[in-house]
Amino acid sequence: MCKSLQLLLFWYSGHPIVYFWLLPAYLLWYILLPKLAGERLFSDPLARVVFILFVLLSTPVGIHHQYLDPGISEGFKFIAMTNTMFLLLPSLLTAFTVVASMEHGARQRGGEGYFSWLTALPWRDPAFTGMALAGLVFAFGGFTGIVNAGMNINYLVHNSLWVPGHIHTQVGTAVALTFMAGSYWLVPQLTGNRLVGRRIALVQVVLWFVGIVFMTNSMYRGGLIGMPRRTAEPEYQGFDYEIAAGSIGELNAQLAIGGVLLFVSTVVFLAIVFLTLFNADSEPVDDGTIPPPLSGPDDSPRVLDNLKLWVAIALALIVFAYAFPLREHRLERRALRSRYRSVPGDRRSGARGSAGDRCRQRYGAVARSLE
Amino acid sequence: MRTSPAKLLVLVALCLVVLVELRTALAFVGVEVSVLETVGVGVVAVALLLVWGFGVGRETGSESESAE
């Protein structure tokens, strides 16, 4: 298959796959976090808007991974950028709704003042603390996602260590830490066993938080100075990175320290879950209810429940997003085929090769022209 | 204690995170802070937090370790 088509199809599926991980984390933030914080979700209608926006916008955004690829026009990449930027909206709405729910819960627990209510949150609960810290890291990751989404600024960080930094912030923490913290609530509910080492579990989630910040900070800084991703020793002879602060050695050391903290945190998490599975102590199982939201489903516009409409719009957006690049790809192949036919020597049997061969030849020509 | 051990742990973690990110942010505006200076400030900041946290006083907020 042609390389450009491979890339298009890869990112068509590749970016939405991260939402397979992220949306369960969102569910925990919307359902479990307010419950642990004190009680109730701030707004059910806003939550519906968020998930509908994800249905609409999550699939067509893969093209933002291909800003530097040939085969998609610059104008269409600009449209893809706009679509990607709109994905910030559900994330910002989530930040508002979840923090508002936490504040309401804290005030029900006696919290007061503009910021003092934060002290009334259940920080000793590893499930709550882990999810709250994961949400905080997700906010930082969202800001770095703006850099990835913007066409002009994306060129600065494309294929650099910045990108693994972003994915470690989002999937490696917003998702992974939320799942670990959620497990500290869920595993006792499923097994009826008391969570072993609640205080150690609290240290574990905090350790992950510190470790990921050490690790991703060095990745972001490395990416900004052009350190490539997928490279074990990104220092070349006769070449020095123009680093803003510190040195490459410091960045590598910081990354390694962060990685070690994450490894230790993972081992501790597995040990706690394993010991909890075999813990004979019983713990009262949760009542299994979700407290009603402050603003419930009755306050929601009925159009938000029309899934047929939203799925239809989502399909139309997907067709719009991928029909143009696929059409460009087809036109290029047709032009390439007609060019080969116009050269008499190339029409001999076997000289043209497969469509993939021709596409690779074209990529070779593009690469040579860039050199 | 002025605060619970759990809150103190989270505060220390946030302090470390701020130190790491602040060094980067300062570098963008031309203020270079060395690793040793960062570690020094970090040790002092964490020590002050611990002294404050373990100091004699009323715990703020409704969540207390005695509630466990």
Side-chain angles (χ1 to χ4, degrees):
Chain A
M1 188 189 290
C2 174
K3 184 73 175 172
S4 66
L5 189 57
Q6 277 180 20
L7 284 170
L8 199 68
L9 294 177
F10 178 81
W11 287 118
Y12 169 79
S13 64
H15 198 81
I17 282 173
V18 298
Y19 295 105
F20 278 77
W21 304 320
L22 185 61
L23 288 183
Y26 264 57
L27 279 179
L28 287 170
W29 295 345
Y30 274 100
I31 294 172
L32 190 55
L33 200 54
K35 185 182 169 89
L36 296 176
E39 268 186 51
R40 304 162 69 181
L41 180 65
F42 181 71
S43 169
D44 178 283
L46 269 181
R48 287 166 193 251
V49 169
V50 165
F51 281 90
I52 284 170
L53 282 173
F54 269 116
V55 168
L56 295 184
L57 302 171
S58 62
T59 314
V61 297
I63 288 171
H64 79 262
H65 288 263
Q66 297 185 265
Y67 287 152
L68 278 174
D69 290 356
I72 305 171
S73 69
E74 294 300 299
F76 196 78
K77 286 175 183 173
F78 182 81
I79 293 173
M81 176 184 79
T82 310
N83 182 91
T84 308
M85 287 292 185
F86 269 115
L87 259 181
L88 289 168
L89 194 58
S91 300
L92 292 172
L93 284 174
T94 296
F96 171 77
T97 310
V98 173
V99 172
S101 307
M102 284 164 52
E103 181 181 349
H104 177 77
R107 291 192 188 282
Q108 298 302 305
R109 300 161 66 97
E112 294 173 340
Y114 284 117
F115 297 107
S116 300
W117 59 268
L118 286 165
T119 61
L121 291 169
W123 295 107
R124 68 187 182 84
D125 184 346
F128 171 82
T129 303
M131 280 191 271
L133 294 178
L136 189 61
V137 173
F138 182 66
F140 281 109
F143 299 140
T144 62
I146 296 172
V147 175
N148 298 351
M151 259 178 84
N152 48 358
I153 202 165
N154 178 286
Y155 297 153
L156 279 176
V157 297
H158 183 82
N159 228 10
S160 74
L161 202 52
W162 174 283
V163 181
H166 173 74
I167 202 74
H168 276 83
T169 313
Q170 302 299 73
V171 177
T173 300
V175 173
L177 184 55
T178 298
F179 285 179
M180 286 189 278
S183 300
Y184 290 143
W185 178 84
L186 186 62
V187 172
Q189 307 307 322
L190 292 176
T191 60
N193 297 342
R194 183 183 57 82
L195 181 70
V196 172
R198 185 186 54 74
R199 291 182 180 182
I200 299 172
L202 184 67
V203 173
Q204 184 268 320
V205 295
V206 171
L207 203 60
W208 187 280
F209 173 65
V210 174
I212 204 71
V213 169
F214 269 69
M215 188 179 187
T216 54
N217 174 275
S218 67
M219 287 174 152
Y220 287 132
R221 286 164 63 198
L224 284 177
I225 57 169
M227 282 171 72
R229 65 190 293 195
R230 307 188 188 99
T231 309
E233 293 291 336
E235 280 198 88
Y236 307 109
Q237 283 188 332
F239 174 81
D240 290 321
Y241 289 105
E242 290 183 17
I243 190 163
S247 65
I248 295 294
E250 281 175 29
L251 285 186
N252 287 340
Q254 188 179 315
L255 201 154
I257 291 169
V260 169
L261 292 178
L262 293 174
F263 177 75
V264 172
S265 180
T266 306
V267 171
V268 173
F269 167 73
L270 292 174
I272 290 171
V273 170
F274 186 77
L275 291 173
T276 300
L277 287 175
F278 296 99
N279 187 20
D281 294 356
S282 64
E283 182 175 73
V285 176
D286 189 89
D287 58 7
T289 60
I290 300 171
L294 288 170
S295 173
D298 294 340
D299 300 328
S300 170
R302 295 193 67 181
V303 69
L304 291 178
D305 292 334
N306 190 345
L307 278 183
K308 284 180 185 169
L309 171 71
W310 301 116
V311 170
I313 295 175
L315 290 174
L317 273 172
I318 292 168
V319 170
F320 176 75
Y322 285 95
F324 287 96
L326 285 172
R327 179 177 167 273
E328 284 181 54
H329 173 77
R330 191 159 176 265
L331 287 175
E332 281 186 8
R333 284 190 63 185
R334 189 178 293 171
L336 204 63
R337 196 177 299 136
S338 65
R339 200 179 77 184
Y340 271 96
R341 281 177 184 158
S342 67
V343 181
D346 284 345
R347 294 201 67 185
R348 64 185 184 277
S349 173
R352 289 174 60 207
S354 66
D357 291 339
R358 293 195 299 278
C359 204
R360 275 188 285 277
Q361 283 175 340
R362 185 176 180 281
Y363 261 79
V366 171
R368 281 192 293 280
S369 68
L370 291 173
E371 283 173 0
Chain B
M1 281 188 76
R2 284 195 178 90
T3 188
S4 67
K7 288 178 204 161
L8 197 56
L9 180 68
V10 173
L11 281 176
V12 169
L14 287 172
C15 180
L16 293 175
V17 167
V18 167
L19 278 168
V20 170
E21 299 293 352
L22 190 63
R23 182 171 177 240
T24 309
L26 287 175
F28 289 147
V29 292
V31 180
E32 289 197 23
V33 185
S34 70
V35 174
L36 275 180
E37 288 166 337
T38 310
V39 171
V41 172
V43 169
V44 171
V46 170
L48 285 174
L49 262 179
L50 293 176
V51 168
W52 172 81
F54 284 106
V56 180
R58 191 177 65 85
E59 184 186 334
T60 56
S62 65
E63 187 213 12
S64 68
E65 292 302 293
S66 60
E68 290 172 35

